Amino acid sequence: VNTVRHWFVVCTSSNLGQRPLARRLLDRPLVVFRADDGRPVAALDRCPHRNMPLSEATLVDGGLRCAYHGWTFDLHGRCVRVPALDGRAESRARDLVVYPTQEQDGRVWVWADPDSQPTVAPVCPDPPPGKRIGWLRHQWSVEAGLSETLENILDVPHTAFLHRGWFRGRRPPVPVTALVRRYPDRVEAEYLGEPRPGGLAARLLAPGGGTLSHVDRFLLPSVAQVEYRLGGRGWLLATALLTPETERCTRIYGSLQFRVAVPAWLLKPLLIPIAWVILRQDSRALQLQTRNQQRFGGAHYSSTEVDVLGPEIARLLRSDPRHQASEQLLAERELRLWL
Ligand code: FES
Ligand SMILES: [Fe+2]
């Protein structure tokens, strides 16, 4: 996967407190902390002296003091103090490997290649919520690779089975048209004319019934987005910013924004428990899928055309990393599926 020269979220602004944080990005352990000038700092979670994890260190004067022998590093990762040497620390070999960071909208992003400077901005199609829009944010991890997790979030047919009764799967299936559009940096599928599903979540979001149209979208390097339009003025936008922690573990920074007929404060306490059930069902399916692939020594897939986005996501993830955001439509196809 060509993901190294990209930004990924490693934590939220509020995760950075009085203690350094241990995180993983692309199989590498990172320590993340806030320097005393307010900047988030990310470095390899390994003291250059004897390899103690720096996530065990103490924050002192905006720097990091290793828990083992007290070597101290500043916000640029420079070793500024070796206590037993009476403070002297001239050698660059004692410095940390630091990663470029950026903080915006309450999230801390890390450029995954410490040997290069960022060439693009973080991909974050998650507009700050406006007035009269309800919103929620949550982060969690799943035991699955990036590609499988992205497919799960954007896959429609599983909702009638895995989430039966909670979302789709209550009424007999009807034919629905999907338009799949490919762009250089993204792929999206628009589903038209689906009657509102009968599940509890759908009933809360669109009490008046009517039809539903929705778009599932994948954007390089790791964003999955689902946008629903319901009946009259109902609207829901779920954005997942994914961080590949290891080959088999993905962290999800999710946000949900919605505008519905009932007030947001009324809907939230009803929506959250349903969202929890659905997330747990997806996490368990992803974990079982991952573990079974390990038992069989790798993935072995058989797909049909209603596996709408999975193969497209895998293809984009393997594509040239120097893709540019672009409105140029490369291809469009129409297909029919039963939902
Ligand atoms: S291991 Fe960090 S100071 Fe010795
Ligand atoms: Fe799901």
Side-chain angles (χ1 to χ4, degrees):
V1 176
N2 286 314
T3 42
V4 177
R5 294 206 170 172
H6 281 291
W7 292 98
F8 295 101
V9 179
V10 293
C11 63
T12 64
S13 299
S14 57
N15 291 149
L16 290 182
Q18 296 310 305
R19 290 190 47 77
L21 204 64
R23 282 292 199 252
R24 291 183 84 95
L25 178 59
L26 293 168
D27 277 315
R28 263 164 296 170
L30 298 185
V31 57
V32 190
F33 64 97
R34 194 181 289 288
D36 56 359
D37 70 348
R39 238 183 301 173
V41 181
L44 278 187
D45 190 10
R46 180 178 63 188
C47 178
H49 181 220
R50 288 296 180 268
N51 300 174
M52 180 80 167
L54 288 167
S55 46
E56 296 290 320
T58 307
L59 285 173
V60 288
D61 299 331
L64 211 50
R65 189 179 64 208
C66 181
Y68 201 176
H69 310 86
W71 287 24
T72 305
F73 307 90
D74 70 7
L75 76 166
H76 307 291
R78 278 192 297 261
C79 180
V80 290
R81 191 169 153 77
V82 176
L85 259 184
D86 195 26
R88 286 173 293 116
E90 292 85 15
S91 167
R92 292 285 79 96
R94 298 179 187 136
D95 293 350
L96 306 180
V97 176
V98 292
Y99 289 69
T101 61
Q102 190 167 317
E103 188 169 17
Q104 65 185 46
D105 293 332
R107 299 190 185 100
V108 177
W109 298 76
V110 165
W111 179 253
D113 178 15
D115 299 320
S116 72
Q117 283 306 306
T119 48
V120 291
V123 176
C124 184
D126 178 19
K131 272 206 172 112
R132 312 174 74 81
I133 290 187
W135 63 289
L136 301 163
R137 273 186 181 180
H138 184 61
Q139 61 171 288
W140 67 103
S141 287
V142 290
E143 187 182 326
L146 179 63
S147 184
E148 286 75 13
T149 309
L150 286 163
E151 178 178 43
N152 166 264
I153 297 170
L154 299 177
D155 173 66
V156 176
H158 85 273
T159 57
F161 284 87
L162 188 66
H163 309 308
R164 183 184 291 273
W166 291 97
F167 192 32
R168 291 189 177 87
R170 281 284 181 87
R171 51 156 173 72
V174 295
V176 169
T177 299
L179 296 169
V180 184
R181 302 187 194 97
R182 281 173 51 188
Y183 300 85
D185 64 326
R186 64 188 194 274
V187 58
E188 62 182 37
E190 181 173 14
Y191 297 81
L192 301 163
E194 182 186 355
R196 191 208 63 187
L200 191 52
R203 280 212 304 275
L204 287 172
L205 289 166
T211 61
L212 187 82
S213 72
H214 93 267
V215 179
D216 291 336
R217 195 176 287 134
F218 164 65
L219 297 94
L220 278 169
S222 64
V223 180
Q225 194 168 50
V226 181
E227 185 167 10
Y228 278 95
R229 291 189 187 283
L230 319 131
R233 53 187 288 279
W235 171 81
L236 182 139
L237 179 71
T239 307
L241 308 171
L242 274 61
T243 301
E245 293 191 313
T246 69
E247 283 281 297
R248 296 196 187 95
C249 188
T250 303
R251 194 162 192 88
I252 303 171
Y253 293 85
S255 78
L256 190 65
Q257 300 192 27
F258 54 88
R259 194 177 49 226
V260 287
V262 294
W265 60 264
L266 195 71
L267 193 66
K268 267 192 193 179
L270 300 167
L271 211 54
I272 290 170
I274 297 172
W276 268 117
V277 172
I278 292 175
L279 290 188
R280 264 204 303 275
Q281 290 169 333
D282 280 324
S283 294
R284 179 168 150 77
L286 282 169
Q287 182 187 59
L288 290 170
Q289 174 189 26
T290 302
R291 293 189 177 179
N292 215 25
Q293 288 176 356
Q294 282 172 261
R295 291 202 305 172
F296 283 93
H300 191 87
Y301 291 158
S302 133
S303 304
T304 74
E305 68 269 20
V306 299
D307 291 299
V308 181
L309 294 183
E312 304 274 358
I313 291 168
R315 188 187 51 75
L316 272 168
L317 286 176
R318 284 191 305 266
S319 71
D320 191 313
R322 285 164 300 166
H323 59 80
Q324 290 296 322
S326 167
E327 292 304 315
Q328 186 199 354
L329 180 63
L330 298 178
E332 185 174 34
R333 67 190 158 95
E334 186 179 320
L335 57 94
R336 171 164 285 221
L337 66 169
W338 292 80
L339 294 178

